[in-house]
Amino acid sequence: MVHLPKSIQNLIDELAKLPGIGPKSAARICFYLLSQDSHESANLAQAAADLKKNLKKCSVCYNYGQTEPCEICSDEEREKETICVVEEPLDVIAIEKTGYRGLYHVLGGAISPISGISPEDLTVSELVSRVKNGGRKIKEVIFATNPTLEGEATAVYISDRLKATNVKITRLARGLPVGGDLEYADEMTLARSLEGRKEL
Amino acid sequence: MVHLPKSIQNLIDELAKLPGIGPKSAARICFYLLSQDSHESANLAQAAADLKKNLKKCSVCYNYGQTEPCEICSDEEREKETICVVEEPLDVIAIEKTGYRGLYHVLGGAISPISGISPEDLTVSELVSRVKNGGRKIKEVIFATNPTLEGEATAVYISDRLKATNVKITRLARGLPVGGDLEYADEMTLARSLEGRKEL
């Protein structure tokens, strides 16, 4: 173990806890900050300290927002007929980039018996009552959970509970990723994309 | 551009300025911190804010340290006869890991006419006087600058200026990286490793 000044070692340790940053990248970032003007690290510190200030979980969609309900839920120009169900707030950003203009519902994860995550740990009941109480305003629920075992199971479980509502329930298409290479696609993806083939 | 709450966008922007972190990793880190206890981001903020506190550049070796001279320069148990010359403080960590027990000199970069970095922008004169004034105590100067055009030129330039001192001047060996694959080695590296071949 190399002996480093305490404040350097401290920041390296904190950075190395973050996802995708190993000890080497952490050291590189730390020495980069040292080589920069003091306000670079001060700005980072301020941004990290202020992260959760004025931030709340929206009581309608459970995404992060500064207002209650959040900016998306209270946006008059969004289509109120569609709810896109995602696992995490980060997924909202991905869907937003596609130009989707409907509403969201953030589950807070996926059902996973192995990790001990049951529907009660997620905002599943909240979604069900939201759809039920929405009356005829909500016409479609799009499941955009991850294409994993847990994500699929979560979508199936919730759609079962939503069946009585007569709302249209859809799931994001599975198939070949755009720009991908056929020979590198796995069997499952290829099978799904055959199954879901469209007429030209 | 996706609209995000200000404090989230702020932290993503600050993180994305760091080396090796793109906007996607920045968002991932930011939402990771949101999902964690508040003290995670508070600790990161504190570490970033305190980074330069109690930290000085050593007036002997120009590495970062908490004392003056730094911990390495003032360590009685280190060999005072050898100075290892590196470009950046980060390089000191790499050399320390090898178990090297001599002293260091941090240049602060490499001479690069293209980037407008001349010997005066580095601690070159300081190294030359350090070796000259060191009398007979300093026996060897090891150049551990990067194996790049700039690093090589810097080593050659400084060693020229040190010639009058009669101190032994060496350079890290160039050759095949340990664990590397011969067929992937570039011509220059292979030529250097042939040139520097050793008897078995």
Side-chain angles (χ1 to χ4, degrees), chain B residues 6 74 179:
Chain B
K6 212 175 133 232
S74 53

Side-chain angles (χ1 to χ4, degrees), chain B residues 170-185:
Chain B
T170 57
R171 176 94 184 88
L172 290 190
R174 265 73 50 98
L176 297 173
V178 179
D181 210 326
L182 196 78
E183 66 181 289
Y184 294 122

Side-chain angles (χ1 to χ4, degrees), chain A residues 96-123:
Chain A
E96 279 289 278
K97 284 187 182 152
T98 67
Y100 170 79
R101 297 294 297 160
L103 301 176
Y104 291 95
H105 193 91
V106 179
L107 293 172
I111 301 169
S112 168
I114 295 170
S115 316
I117 300 170
S118 69
E120 289 73 43
D121 300 314
L122 310 173
T123 61

